[in-house]
Amino acid sequence: MYLLKKINLDDAWQKEQGWNEERKSGRKFDDRKELEFWEKLAPHYSEQFNLYRDVPGLKEKIFSLVGENSSVLDLGCGSGNFTIPLTSHCREILALDFSPAMLDQLTLKLREKDISNVRTVCSKWEDFSEPWDADYVLAVNSLYRVCYMREALKKIALYGRKGFIIVRTLLKPLMYSIYEDLGLNYKRNNDYMLMPLMLWDMGIHANVEYMEYSRDKAYDTWKTAEAEMIRDLGELSYMNFNNQLEEKFLHTAEKKNDGYHYISRRVVQMIWYSN
């Protein structure tokens, strides 16, 4: 049996997330590219991506853990998908995000709704050091750029006086079920496996739950879906199975007036700890 203590989880995280590669590219490693990405997406983010709206049972679980009249540090709050609903439940919220554009969207919503119990801070979690007495830390899909995850988790546990809630969408391509049916390899992120192990290794006996929801994506033509498959699989792998891939997609997707609608089953991981 391979003992957990023999596994260097920090090294495993660095390798899994690509931090130990000599040539690193993409917005995960480039602050400027990351900010540009969110600046473009910010006005439409809540409409396109909203786990509070889309995942059955998630908001009820979070509300039950946080309790009423509590203080929450919303780490990676974005445009306020969880921040806004929590304002009627919490005494005060510190909304932290690295993107000024996303915080601008949140600020607009707060003004429109005349909400006064939220304070925003623009910062990375790694750089944040302000003393703040939070009952709970909430982090929804906001730790994907962290290099030193153990330190980030320690910080979350330190700031959350009563506990913390970490929500992660398992990162798989939307059409992963088609690829799996054909036995094809595709890019995936196994961060959801390592984070609980790190917490347990630190002596923090966090709970882990999984929830499911469906995401509907429209492709205007087959060629649009084909281009996504090539990005997911690589050109060589796609070319070897292009006929089977097209057949399965056209059989699975629903043809509508605006194109092909593909329903992808998504999985969300919820890591939570309460003192």
Side-chain angles (χ1 to χ4, degrees), residues 26 33 35 48 56 62 94 98-99 104 115 118 130 148 252:
K33 290 181 179 179
L35 292 173
Q48 296 180 20
I62 291 176
L94 182 65
F98 176 55
S99 167
D104 286 345
I115 296 172
V118 177
E130 177 183 332
Y148 301 104
T252 306

Side-chain angles (χ1 to χ4, degrees), residues 41-56:
L41 185 58
H44 317 289
Y45 180 77
S46 292
E47 178 184 350
Q48 296 180 20
F49 305 97
N50 193 330
L51 295 185
Y52 181 89
R53 175 195 64 203
D54 296 338
V55 183

Side-chain angles (χ1 to χ4, degrees), residues 157-206:
L158 179 65
Y159 269 89
R161 184 170 58 88
K162 293 183 179 180
F164 57 81
I165 304 165
I166 301 172
V167 178
R168 303 284 294 152
T169 302
L170 273 59
L171 295 181
K172 291 184 175 183
L174 286 175
M175 293 183 281
Y176 71 89
S177 61
I178 291 178
Y179 309 151
E180 290 180 355
D181 285 346
L182 295 173
L184 300 177
N185 293 322
Y186 56 83
K187 295 179 181 178
R188 69 185 78 193
N189 194 325
N190 294 318
D191 59 348
Y192 72 97
M193 299 181 186
L194 294 171
M195 290 171 66
L197 290 175
M198 281 190 180
L199 287 166
W200 298 333
D201 191 45
M202 291 157 52
I204 300 174
H205 303 138

Side-chain angles (χ1 to χ4, degrees), residues 13-180:
W13 178 268
Q14 297 281 317
K15 182 178 180 180
E16 175 68 28
Q17 301 303 310
W19 286 103
N20 60 352
E21 296 177 3
E22 291 186 10
R23 295 184 178 180
K24 295 183 282 288
S25 62
R27 62 186 182 90
K28 178 189 286 189
F29 312 105
D30 189 321
D31 287 352
R32 180 182 56 80
K33 290 181 179 179
E34 176 76 355
L35 292 173
E36 290 175 351
F37 173 85
W38 289 113
E39 186 172 2
K40 293 177 182 178
L41 185 58
H44 317 289
Y45 180 77
S46 292
E47 178 184 350
Q48 296 180 20
F49 305 97
N50 193 330
L51 295 185
Y52 181 89
R53 175 195 64 203
D54 296 338
V55 183
L58 179 58
K59 56 180 176 289
E60 291 83 2
K61 181 68 177 183
I62 291 176
F63 276 43
S64 68
L65 288 171
V66 169
E68 295 185 359
N69 201 36
S70 56
S71 59
V72 171
L73 196 165
D74 191 355
L75 194 176
C77 61
S79 54
N81 288 350
F82 287 83
T83 312
I84 298 296
L86 281 169
T87 57
S88 61
H89 201 72
C90 299
R91 182 177 71 258
E92 58 181 341
I93 298 174
L94 182 65
L96 180 78
D97 203 277
F98 176 55
S99 167
M102 293 291 269
L103 288 177
D104 286 345
Q105 292 297 315
L106 171 57
T107 300
L108 286 174
K109 295 176 184 177
L110 294 173
R111 289 174 181 170
E112 290 173 356
K113 298 177 181 294
D114 195 27
I115 296 172
S116 59
N117 61 337
V118 177
R119 181 165 65 89
T120 63
V121 174
C122 188
S123 173
K124 290 183 180 180
W125 180 235
E126 300 94 314
D127 300 332
F128 180 73
S129 60
E130 177 183 332
W132 204 74
D133 186 20
D135 291 319
Y136 280 87
V137 174
L138 173 65
V140 179
N141 281 341
S142 57
L143 300 173
Y144 59 93
R145 298 184 74 230
V146 171
C147 178
Y148 301 104
M149 180 53 70
R150 185 183 296 268
E151 296 305 313
L153 294 174
K154 284 181 181 178
K155 196 171 179 179
I156 287 173
L158 179 65
Y159 269 89
R161 184 170 58 88
K162 293 183 179 180
F164 57 81
I165 304 165
I166 301 172
V167 178
R168 303 284 294 152
T169 302
L170 273 59
L171 295 181
K172 291 184 175 183
L174 286 175
M175 293 183 281
Y176 71 89
S177 61
I178 291 178
Y179 309 151
E180 290 180 355

